[in-house]
């Protein structure tokens, strides 16, 4: 009998436990002390972000460890190269959903924009440095986009449109991601400062998330400058 990897088992068992904990947060955190609300929201958001759907789905369906191919990351772009378009589409939705759910939970539990930002950043940290995979995860684009879409929908749309246009125009997902993140952060800051559309607290998320995501793309930036970055459609090769 083939042994199931411990990292996969841990996450599979964590899913129902985390689902119950998040449901309880929706029901019982409102009205509690602010410190308890923030601690619970941040901890649950981090664990939610740590669910590495790309790793789990490829292990389950193909028996493949996505970290051993391509960029070695667990996010959608490496899943696309390793497992194909259908699996990448599923990971796309699930990774966005992590950010969406984290912010929804914070908003319902506390009603405070600061908690929404904290939850969105905690989910992003969990996605990039997941406890279940030895703190080796993805780059955070989709989880950050999910959180942003709940806090500031217009900048989220701006980021998505520019991301897709740049990625398909250049054939580099990484370049589209970097430009899209900067466009989303810039549009959010502009709409807060010039139009007052959103809470000023959301600018913290825009700035911190942009720095984190660009840092996670530092190897892509180096390959782009060297002219050997992977293009869309390039098959995955064993990770270096």
């Amino acid at each position: 009998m083939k042994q199931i990897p411990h990292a996969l088992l841990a996450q599979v068992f964590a899913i129902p436990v985390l689902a119950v904990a998040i449901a309880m947060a929706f029901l019982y955190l409102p009205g509690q002390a602010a410190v308890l609300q923030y601690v619970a929201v941040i901890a649950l958001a981090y664990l939610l972000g740590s669910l590495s759907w790309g790793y789990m789905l490829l292990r389950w369906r193909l028996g493949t460890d996505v970290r051993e191919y391509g960029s070695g990351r667990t996010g959608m772009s490496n899943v696309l190269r390793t497992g194909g378009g259908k699996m990448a589409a599923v990971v796309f939705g699930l990774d966005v959903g992590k950010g969406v759910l984290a912010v929804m939970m914070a908003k319902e539990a506390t009603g405070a924009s600061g908690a929404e930002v904290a939850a969105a950043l905690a989910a992003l940290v969990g996605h990039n440095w997941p406890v279940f995979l030895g703190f080796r995860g993805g780059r955070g684009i989709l989880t950050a986009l999910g959180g942003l879409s709940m806090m500031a929908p217009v900048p989220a749309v701006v980021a998505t449109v520019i991301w897709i246009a740049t990625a398909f125009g250049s054939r580099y997902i990484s370049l589209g991601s970097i430009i899209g993140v900067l466009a989303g952060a810039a549009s959010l800051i502009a709409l807060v400062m010039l139009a007052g559309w959103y809470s000023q607290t959301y600018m913290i998320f825009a700035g911190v998330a942009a720095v984190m995501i660009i840092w996670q793309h530092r190897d892509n930036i180096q390959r782009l400058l060297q002219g050997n970055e992977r293009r869309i459609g390039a098959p995955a090769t064993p990770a270096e």
Side-chain angles (χ1 to χ4, degrees):
M1 182 177 177
K2 190 174 181 180
Q3 185 176 7
I4 301 175
H6 294 303
L8 179 58
L9 277 175
Q11 292 184 80
V12 168
F13 282 117
I15 291 171
V17 174
L18 190 56
V20 171
I22 290 174
M24 292 179 65
F26 273 92
L27 292 172
Y28 298 113
L29 277 182
Q32 300 295 325
V35 172
L36 176 60
Q37 291 176 336
Y38 273 76
V39 169
V41 162
I42 290 170
L44 290 173
Y46 172 77
L47 292 173
L48 176 63
S50 290
L51 294 175
S52 299
W53 295 110
Y55 169 83
M56 285 191 283
L57 289 174
L58 262 70
R59 270 294 197 186
W60 173 49
R61 295 296 300 274
L62 304 178
T64 299
D65 188 338
V66 69
R67 299 171 299 171
E68 295 177 357
Y69 294 88
S71 66
R73 301 286 183 170
T74 61
M76 183 271 295
S77 61
N78 204 35
V79 171
L80 177 63
R81 296 187 183 95
T82 308
K86 291 183 179 179
M87 203 162 293
V90 174
V91 172
F92 182 103
L94 290 171
D95 280 353
V96 169
K98 292 192 295 188
V100 168
L101 182 56
V103 174
M104 285 178 60
M105 175 178 61
K107 186 173 183 179
E108 180 66 24
T110 72
S113 59
E116 294 175 42
V117 169
L121 290 175
L124 178 57
V125 170
H127 178 86
N128 290 349
W129 298 282
V131 66
F132 300 113
L133 293 180
F135 306 102
R136 179 185 171 194
R139 302 188 197 275
I141 290 292
L142 297 177
T143 300
L145 180 62
L148 181 63
S149 69
M150 295 301 295
M151 293 184 285
V154 172
V157 171
V158 170
T160 302
V161 169
I162 292 180
W163 171 38
I164 292 173
T166 304
F168 282 93
S170 66
R171 305 291 295 172
Y172 293 122
I173 292 179
S174 58
L175 182 61
S177 299
I178 294 165
I179 300 300
V181 164
L182 293 174
S187 62
L188 173 57
I189 292 170
L191 288 172
V192 169
M193 299 300 292
L194 300 178
W197 280 21
Y198 305 110
S199 168
Q200 293 185 6
T201 309
Y202 293 159
M203 293 193 297
I204 297 174
F205 175 77
V208 175
V211 170
M212 289 172 57
I213 291 170
I214 291 173
W215 170 256
Q216 289 294 87
H217 281 83
R218 60 194 183 280
D219 55 327
N220 302 94
I221 294 171
Q222 184 177 9
R223 287 193 296 269
L224 285 166
L225 293 173
Q226 294 172 347
N228 57 7
E229 173 66 321
R230 306 174 186 90
R231 291 183 180 270
I232 295 175
T237 56
E240 298 178 358

